[in-house]
Amino acid sequence: MSRLPAPPSTDPGSSLSGGTEVTPRPADLDPARLPRHIAVIMDGNGRWAARRGLPRVMGHRAGVATLKRMVRLCSDWGVGALTAYAFSTENWSRPGEEVNFLMTLFERVLSSEIDALVSEGVRIRFLGDLEALPASLQKSIDGATRRTATNSGIHFNVCTNYGSRRELVRAAQRLARRVCNGELDPEAISETDLAAELHTAGESDPDLLIRTSGEQRLSNFLLWQLAYAEIHITDVLWPDFDRACLASALRDYQGRQRRFGGVMTS
Ligand code: IPE
Ligand code: IPE
Ligand code: MG
């Protein structure tokens, strides 16, 4: 297998902003037709590391740097929300060392980035079954969520111990509880009621799903919310996903006709 050098910009300890300069949106993108909400399956960290002869976890470190870049670019270019898949309910099946590394990484990055998130107006939330996470990580998540709750900038959602099927079961349980309490008529349960019990409640559905590393599957991500998302799959591995990759995903998106089951009128 060929070995590639590690790129220089992989330090997840540097600040979110990396400076305060706004990166201009590529001129060929129509600002009126940007996705309001982008969801991303950040895949390929392990392969990125393996290709360089590095341990898999180095790919996760590099992946954090990419995620920081993405939040900033989406914010600069006028995307209202970014939802990133960081750890699935199925990822616990990975070797304990890798899982522990990821949990520590999440906590470390959160503590190094929280001030930048606050000052840049990012509203961060963590979506998933958070109670199963290490107590110290839960505490950092709680602090970051509270400190940024009233921020008016980009909504940055990090799906951590997230699984869409578990989310849907939880929503069903919550609705059932309301029925049992006499608060809800089962016949009257609507799509809006169900959506309101999901972790993503209050967020618009993603308009665009990006998956890196070429895999063509959802891997239990936002099964309900992605019903009408446009899907962009790239072979680029997540740590290599850069500004040009985001621009080409947005160009791809802007070239699509979204019909939502209807027909084009013009
Ligand atoms: C995605 O990269 C990150 C997480 C799932 C945490 P992977 O770790 O899945 O990388 P590959 O797919 O093995 O290359
Ligand atoms: C999906 O990637 C989960 C995250 C990106 C967090 P995986 O690497 O876990 O997905 P599969 O196993 O290839 O479907
Ligand atoms: Mg993977």
Side-chain angles (χ1 to χ4, degrees):
M1 187 177 289
S2 65
R3 293 194 174 197
L4 305 172
S9 62
T10 56
D11 176 17
S14 63
S15 96
L16 175 75
S17 54
T20 49
E21 246 168 65
V22 170
T23 308
R25 186 176 46 237
D28 63 322
L29 289 173
D30 178 353
R33 290 174 50 247
L34 286 169
R36 273 201 298 164
H37 183 176
I38 296 179
V40 60
I41 302 177
M42 313 183 283
D43 200 11
N45 292 350
R47 278 163 281 175
W48 181 93
R51 281 180 198 178
R52 286 165 175 77
L54 298 169
R56 288 178 54 81
V57 294
M58 295 309 286
H60 298 317
R61 276 178 59 93
V64 167
T66 300
L67 182 57
K68 291 195 311 190
R69 263 199 316 267
M70 272 285 278
V71 179
R72 170 142 266 263
L73 283 171
C74 286
S75 170
D76 288 353
W77 292 0
V79 173
L82 175 68
T83 299
Y85 205 4
F87 192 87
S88 75
T89 47
E90 289 72 34
N91 287 148
W92 294 105
S93 66
R94 295 187 176 206
E97 261 179 34
E98 181 172 343
V99 170
N100 289 342
F101 182 93
L102 283 166
M103 295 299 150
T104 307
L105 182 66
F106 296 152
E107 200 174 326
R108 203 160 56 84
V109 171
L110 204 46
S111 89
S112 67
E113 294 306 318
I114 182 62
D115 289 341
L117 291 167
V118 170
S119 71
E120 294 186 25
V122 176
R123 192 205 70 179
I124 192 168
R125 289 203 306 183
F126 289 79
L127 314 184
D129 180 1
L130 305 181
E131 282 173 16
L133 299 174
S136 54
L137 176 56
Q138 287 185 51
K139 207 165 156 228
S140 309
I141 286 176
D142 210 50
T145 307
R146 274 191 284 105
R147 278 188 69 191
T148 65
T150 56
N151 281 357
S152 56
I154 189 169
H155 291 181
F156 176 34
N157 304 309
V158 188
C159 293
T160 315
N161 194 23
Y162 173 88
S164 196
R165 288 184 168 183
R166 187 178 294 181
E167 177 187 41
L168 287 164
V169 167
R170 173 179 171 271
Q173 289 169 336
R174 289 160 70 109
L175 290 173
R177 219 171 286 131
R178 285 171 57 199
V179 168
C180 288
N181 293 342
E183 296 164 25
L184 193 62
D185 170 5
E187 301 306 322
I189 295 174
S190 65
E191 292 185 8
T192 309
D193 291 326
L194 198 144
E197 300 295 353
L198 300 176
H199 293 300
T200 47
E203 203 72 86
S204 64
D205 286 341
D207 303 292
L208 171 64
L209 169 72
I210 298 172
R211 183 164 189 156
T212 55
S213 87
E215 307 298 349
Q216 306 194 14
R217 53 179 170 261
L218 291 178
S219 301
N220 203 11
F221 189 45
L222 303 175
L223 302 182
W224 170 281
Q225 297 90 335
L226 293 172
Y228 267 104
E230 296 298 325
I231 300 175
H232 174 86
I233 294 175
T234 170
D235 286 336
V236 171
L237 303 176
W238 177 249
D240 292 328
F241 192 88
D242 60 9
R243 185 194 312 189
C245 296
L246 178 61
S248 85
L250 292 171
R251 270 179 214 117
D252 185 16
Y253 173 80
Q254 294 199 336
R256 307 280 180 93
Q257 287 186 340
R258 302 190 76 191
R259 290 193 284 274
F260 299 99
V263 289
M264 293 312 286
T265 49
S266 59

